[in-house]
Amino acid sequence: MQMLKDAILEKGRAINQDVLLVDSFLNHQVDVGLMKAVGEAFAEHFSGKRFTRVVTIESSGIAPAAFTALSLNLPLVIMKKQTSRILTGDILQTTVRSFTKGTSYELTVKRDFLEPGDRVLLIDDFLASGEAAFGVLHLAQQAGATVDGIGIVIEKAFQSGHDRLTAEGLDVYSLARIKSMSERHIEFLD
Ligand code: G4P
């Protein structure tokens, strides 16, 4: 998606070979015009599939996922990273380890919002090693739902996530695939 690649080149900043700062348009300040276009691009790509819910993980996936859900006229479910006193009742949980951040969290969703037979479109901001996506996959399996598509805004194609997910037969579509990056240069695949 050219508009996204332009934003990455103009406003993104690779702080090293592994981490890209995108806080001026994606995950701190948000370019909602760009996110609307991102949502429309996912909706167009996945238009042949019949999903029942769009799912994302708080917090940076919310903006692209919301516009995707709007374009597909589907409910958006935001998976939580922590249980709180008000998130009670029948919940599904799995532990996700983030290699980028060096932390773990309990990915959590109420059973009411991920039901048997649900066909999920997972939208997230970054794909690195795929741990977050596998977490969603585990929760979907627990719920009797399926993950029928995964839309990623920025894929770090030099990490293992894409290959690990496609090896499981998952349909992964990334709008920008970064082949390599350094403080001075960002190179895309394709
Ligand atoms: P994985 O799920 O693909 O295995 O990725 P990993 O655990 O390595 O990293 C996941 C978290 O790190 C996500 O944030 C993701 O947005 C963030 N992340 C990964 N690579 C980058 C990067 O190059 N730049 C930036 N800015 N963030 C990156 P999160 O823990 O879900 O938190 P949140 O930001 O959504 O609140």
Side-chain angles (χ1 to χ4, degrees):
M1 183 189 176
Q2 197 54 47
M3 189 179 172
L4 175 64
K5 289 182 184 172
D6 290 345
I8 292 169
L9 292 176
E10 282 164 28
K11 300 173 192 160
R13 191 166 62 84
I15 55 169
N16 52 43
Q17 292 178 346
D18 291 319
V19 176
L20 177 68
L21 287 189
V22 288
D23 54 4
S24 66
F25 65 97
L26 182 57
N27 58 14
H28 197 355
Q29 174 171 261
V30 178
D31 180 340
V32 289
L34 177 60
M35 289 306 111
K36 182 168 178 278
V38 159
E40 288 165 355
F42 284 137
E44 188 185 343
H45 177 80
F46 288 112
S47 62
K49 290 197 169 181
R50 299 176 76 80
F51 298 101
T52 56
R53 284 182 159 118
V54 174
V55 166
T56 194
I57 300 168
E58 63 178 356
S59 59
S60 307
I62 295 173
F67 283 107
T68 306
L70 185 68
S71 291
L72 290 169
N73 194 26
L74 288 171
L76 169 64
V77 177
I78 301 163
M79 293 201 168
K80 308 285 186 180
K81 287 184 181 154
Q82 279 170 345
T83 40
S84 71
R85 264 184 265 170
I86 52 170
L87 184 61
T88 54
D90 210 356
I91 57 172
L92 299 167
Q93 255 184 345
T94 189
T95 305
V96 172
R97 170 136 188 88
S98 166
F99 292 104
T100 305
K101 297 192 173 175
T103 53
S104 294
Y105 57 86
E106 292 300 314
L107 190 67
T108 306
V109 66
K110 254 188 180 178
R111 272 189 195 270
D112 288 352
F113 306 136
L114 193 59
E115 295 177 304
D118 260 334
R119 294 182 301 277
V120 166
L121 172 58
L122 168 63
I123 300 291
D124 212 354
D125 58 335
F126 272 100
L127 175 61
S129 50
E131 289 301 311
F134 276 106
V136 173
L137 204 65
H138 290 150
L139 292 189
Q141 283 165 351
Q142 286 181 42
T146 53
V147 176
D148 289 355
I150 301 178
I152 300 293
V153 181
I154 302 174
E155 176 189 316
K156 297 194 286 186
F158 52 88
Q159 293 191 235
S160 59
H162 186 275
D163 290 348
R164 291 178 67 207
L165 292 168
T166 51
E168 294 292 320
L170 289 157
D171 177 6
V172 182
Y173 177 60
S174 306
L175 295 178
R177 304 187 73 199
I178 295 178
K179 184 178 174 189
S180 63
M181 61 187 186
S182 68
E183 284 155 56
R184 293 151 52 130
H185 185 66
I186 296 173
E187 191 180 346
F188 295 101
L189 273 183
D190 312 322

